[in-house]
Amino acid sequence: EQRLGQIEKEYILSGNQGMIAPLERFLDGEMKNIMRERKILENKRLDLDACKNKVRKARSLATQPQAENELRLCQAEFDRQAEITKLLMEGLSQTQTNHLRHLKDFVQAQVNYYAEAHAVMQELNNELSGNAEDGNKVGSSSPPQANGTAVDAPEGVQFDSPLGF
């Protein structure tokens, strides 16, 4: 049991360090940043849409140039934010590659854990089989006995087992 416990602790530690910790760092850091930048982009798009509506509704020559100037500024801000968001989103492909590598490492840790646990259990099984053979010789083909006499089956009952039950 101690060896199995140690193997399990190592598995948990490697799973945490190899998969869970990098994923948490990504979600807590990079993904929050990406989501924040996407939200800003959405707000810039709404601002740009509002400016376009102002230009369409501007009727006088005095307000038209001001609305067009505001539209140019909103368009520039939107384009700048779109580029920032695009760069962050393109970085996700590299992050995805890293996550895939971490997932492969995690699966390999699982394979190792189960292989080691299986080996320990095989050892234990072999030890127990060796002790059982040393302690009591199994293999007697006579039916079970009560008080030194053979046990007969009740009338109408047939034993299927070579041991009588």
Side-chain angles (χ1 to χ4, degrees):
E1 286 182 25
Q2 287 180 351
R3 287 182 60 201
L4 282 176
Q6 183 61 34
I7 292 169
E8 186 174 7
K9 282 181 183 179
E10 291 170 5
Y11 165 65
I12 291 170
L13 182 63
S14 68
N16 186 38
Q17 290 175 345
M19 181 69 191
I20 295 171
L23 187 58
E24 282 180 341
R25 282 192 303 272
F26 168 73
L27 291 174
D28 290 342
E30 195 173 339
M31 194 62 190
K32 279 186 180 179
N33 187 34
I34 290 169
M35 295 305 290
R36 184 179 64 247
E37 294 298 329
R38 284 187 64 197
K39 181 76 172 166
I40 292 171
L41 178 64
E42 181 66 22
N43 289 335
K44 297 291 182 187
R45 186 193 60 78
L46 293 173
D47 291 346
L48 180 61
D49 289 346
C51 286
K52 285 179 181 180
N53 284 335
K54 274 187 188 178
V55 169
R56 277 190 226 120
K57 292 179 181 179
R59 299 186 187 222
S60 70
L61 293 175
T63 58
Q64 184 79 20
Q66 181 184 0
E68 287 176 355
N69 189 33
E70 194 175 323
L71 175 63
R72 279 191 290 277
L73 288 174
C74 284
Q75 183 69 50
E77 288 178 16
F78 174 79
D79 291 342
R80 184 183 67 75
Q81 187 61 40
E83 187 63 30
I84 290 170
T85 305
K86 178 183 170 189
L87 291 173
L88 288 172
M89 297 298 285
E90 287 172 351
L92 282 179
S93 65
Q94 177 62 34
T95 302
Q96 182 181 9
T97 304
N98 289 339
H99 287 310
L100 184 59
R101 183 175 43 83
H102 293 304
L103 181 60
K104 286 178 182 178
D105 291 344
F106 179 67
V107 169
Q108 185 60 48
Q110 283 183 318
V111 168
N112 293 342
Y113 166 70
Y114 287 113
E116 289 178 32
H118 181 262
V120 168
M121 293 306 295
Q122 285 295 100
E123 260 181 55
L124 179 60
N125 186 37
N126 292 341
E127 284 178 26
L128 291 175
S129 294
N131 288 341
E133 288 175 9
D134 292 343
N136 5 332
K137 296 290 182 187
V138 178
S140 169
S141 60
S142 62
Q145 301 198 354
N147 299 331
T149 62
V151 177
D152 294 325
E155 198 171 309
V157 175
Q158 188 173 355
F159 291 126
D160 292 331
S161 166
L163 296 176
F165 45 91

